[in-house]
Amino acid sequence: MSRILPNYTEVQKISALIYKQRFFHPNRSKTAVSNYVHIGYIATRPGAVRHENLPHGLFGKMKPGSIDIFQSWQDVARIARDISKQGKNMYRSVISLRTETAMVLGLNDFETWQQYIEQHIATLAAHNRIKTENLCWAAAFHNEKDHPHLHIVFWDKEQAIMKNFTHPEIPNRIRKQLIKDTFAFKIKEFCAERDLAKTGITNITDAILEQFEAHMKSLNPQSFRAFQQRYEHEDEDSLLRLPKHHLTNPQAAEQLALHLFELRQAIPKNGRLAYQLLTPEAKSHVDEFVLDLLQQNPYLAEMVETYVKAKLEVVKLYTSDPASLTKQSSKYQAEAEKRIANRILSTVRTIIKLDQDSDVGIRQLERYRTWTEQLILELLSVMEQLSMQAQLDYEDKAKVVFGGEWSKQAKKEWLLRQKDKGMDR
C-alpha cells in the first residue's frame, strides 16, 4: 500500500509526558526536501537553544559513541535527504513536558536535556525495531515558556524494507516507557502514599501508570489541559503556531500596531496594493514600517540575514570578488525587504476591507495589535521558507560545481565558512 500523506501517530490524552512521532513516506516526491527543511527548522528556529559560537543547536549521533555537537546542521540535513532518496524512513518525534514538571525532574537547561535523550534514545529505537549500532539521530532543544520540548529525528542506516505505516500503539508504548523511566521515583512515591505494600514495587503496570497520570492531572487540571491542547492539532512544524511570547515583545507589538494604524491611513484606499505600484510617498511609509519591524523584532531580522547569507553562498561558488559580493548582498537584502513590504500591504488590504465594520477606541487598537502579531508570524514563516529554499539551492548548485560528490577540500572550506558565520553572529 502506498501512502502519500504523512504517517502521523500521536497520543490524544492527558499525559505527564507528550510523545509524538511521524514520518513522510520516502516515495513521496517532496519527502527528501521536507526532511532536509525539517532539520534546518528544528536546529535554527526561534526558541531553539543554540551552541556557543554556532548558528544552530543540533546535536546527536551518526554512529555509536559520544554525542556530537554538529558543526553544521546542513551536513546532517544532507544525510537525511540522501537516506530519504534511498527509501529509508526518517522519523520525526517530539518529547515535551510542562515547565513545572521539567523543573522537578531537573531538566532545566540544554545540557540536562542532552543527557536525557542520550539515556532514552534507545527506547525510541527499540520500539521502532532499530538496532543500536544502526541508529542515527539528531536532536534540538526548544526552551518554550510553557512546554520545554525536544525534537528528535532518527533513522535506521541499514534499513532494507521501506515502511509506509507505523501502528499508533508504537508511539503510545514509547510514551508509556518514557513515563515509567522518567518518573520512576515519583511513581514509587505515589504507590507508597496509596499502599505501603507497594513501596518495593519493581514492575510498573499500565494500570499503575494510568492512576499516576490521573494523580498528576489532579494537581493542576487546567494546566494539564492547556498543555495537552497545544499538541492535539499542532505538529511543531510551523512558525505560525509558535507562542507569541517568544516572537513578539508586547511593548514592541503595541508600538508596531500604532505604526500599522498610521500606515493604513497613509495608504490609498483604492487601487491595487503592490509595492512597485505605490507612489513614492506611500513607498516611503512602507519602507519605514519595514525598517521598524526589523529593528523591533530580532527574529525577523535574523531570518532576513540568514536568507541573504544563504543566497550569497551560491554566489561564492562562482566568484570571490568583494565588490561583486557586496553588490549581491545589497540586492538580496532589498529582495527580502520587498517581500516583507508586499506582505505588509496584504495585511493593510485586509484591514481596509474590515475597517468599515470596526469599532473605534480600545477595541480597534486591540485589533491592530492582533493584526500586527499575526503579520510578524506570517513574515517569519515566509522568510523561513525562503531561507531553507536558498540553502537547498546552494546544495544543488554545489554538487554541480564540485562534480557530484564534494571533494574533501571543498567540504572543509564550506564548513569553515559555516563556522565563520557562527562566529560572526
Side-chain angles (χ1 to χ4, degrees), residues 160-184:
I161 301 175
M162 187 185 302
K163 299 180 181 179
N164 59 16
F165 178 74
T166 296
H167 195 283
E169 187 57 27
I170 290 178
N172 191 34
R173 288 172 185 164
I174 292 174
R175 180 188 67 87
K176 288 180 179 179
Q177 190 60 51
L178 287 174
I179 293 175
K180 290 176 183 179
D181 296 338
T182 303
F183 295 90

Side-chain angles (χ1 to χ4, degrees), residues 68-83:
D68 285 330
I69 304 301
F70 301 117
Q71 290 300 303
S72 164
W73 67 260
Q74 291 93 338
D75 278 354
V76 180
R78 270 202 306 274
I79 295 172
R81 185 170 63 168
D82 290 343
I83 67 106

Side-chain angles (χ1 to χ4, degrees), residues 12-252:
Q12 302 287 358
K13 60 174 287 185
I14 294 295
S15 177
L17 176 150
I18 297 291
Y19 178 76
K20 296 181 70 173
Q21 175 180 305
R22 71 169 178 170
F23 66 82
F24 284 93
H25 195 290
N27 272 350
R28 187 183 179 205
S29 61
K30 295 183 179 180
T31 292
V33 170
S34 176
N35 286 340
Y36 181 104
V37 170
H38 179 73
I39 290 176
Y41 165 80
I42 67 172
T44 64
R45 57 145 265 200
V49 179
R50 304 182 183 192
H51 304 300
E52 186 176 0
N53 297 328
L54 288 176
H56 69 88
L58 205 65
F59 63 91
K61 297 182 182 181
M62 293 296 107
K63 60 183 179 180
S66 58
I67 283 182
D68 285 330
I69 304 301
F70 301 117
Q71 290 300 303
S72 164
W73 67 260
Q74 291 93 338
D75 278 354
V76 180
R78 270 202 306 274
I79 295 172
R81 185 170 63 168
D82 290 343
I83 67 106
S84 299
K85 291 179 178 179
Q86 295 167 17
K88 297 180 174 65
N89 298 87
M90 188 190 88
Y91 297 93
R92 307 178 185 186
S93 61
V94 180
I95 298 174
S96 182
L97 298 165
R98 294 170 59 244
T99 300
E100 297 85 350
T101 306
M103 294 300 290
V104 169
L105 295 170
L107 297 172
N108 48 22
D109 56 30
F110 193 17
E111 289 70 23
T112 53
W113 276 92
Q114 282 182 301
Q115 294 168 10
Y116 177 83
I117 190 57
E118 186 174 25
Q119 293 168 1
H120 298 286
I121 189 66
T123 296
L124 278 62
H127 284 277
N128 284 284
R129 297 186 178 181
I130 302 175
K131 295 180 180 178
T132 303
E133 61 268 25
N134 296 333
L135 175 67
C136 295
W137 64 275
F141 173 47
H142 293 180
N143 194 22
E144 296 288 359
K145 180 181 178 181
D146 299 319
H147 65 292
H149 58 274
L150 200 69
H151 285 271
I152 313 102
V153 298
F154 60 96
W155 60 87
D156 181 351
K157 66 181 180 181
E158 298 299 328
Q159 179 185 338
I161 301 175
M162 187 185 302
K163 299 180 181 179
N164 59 16
F165 178 74
T166 296
H167 195 283
E169 187 57 27
I170 290 178
N172 191 34
R173 288 172 185 164
I174 292 174
R175 180 188 67 87
K176 288 180 179 179
Q177 190 60 51
L178 287 174
I179 293 175
K180 290 176 183 179
D181 296 338
T182 303
F183 295 90
F185 72 99
K186 283 289 182 182
I187 294 174
K188 289 186 178 181
E189 287 179 359
F190 167 74
C191 291
E193 291 174 1
R194 297 295 187 278
D195 186 346
L196 292 176
K198 293 180 180 178
T199 53
I201 192 169
T202 58
N203 181 28
I204 303 173
T205 66
D206 285 352
I208 291 175
L209 195 62
E210 288 181 6
Q211 293 175 35
F212 172 72
E213 291 204 272
H215 166 68
M216 292 284 286
K217 173 188 173 183
S218 69
L219 299 177
N220 194 334
Q222 290 184 339
S223 178
F224 266 87
R225 170 54 62 186
F227 174 57
Q228 177 60 32
Q229 286 179 341
R230 166 145 183 88
Y231 284 93
E232 284 183 352
H233 305 293
E234 298 183 12
D235 58 15
E236 287 297 313
D237 278 348
S238 172
L239 279 167
L240 293 175
R241 292 175 174 142
L242 289 179
K244 294 181 177 63
H245 63 256
H246 260 308
L247 303 175
T248 58
N249 176 284
Q251 186 176 1

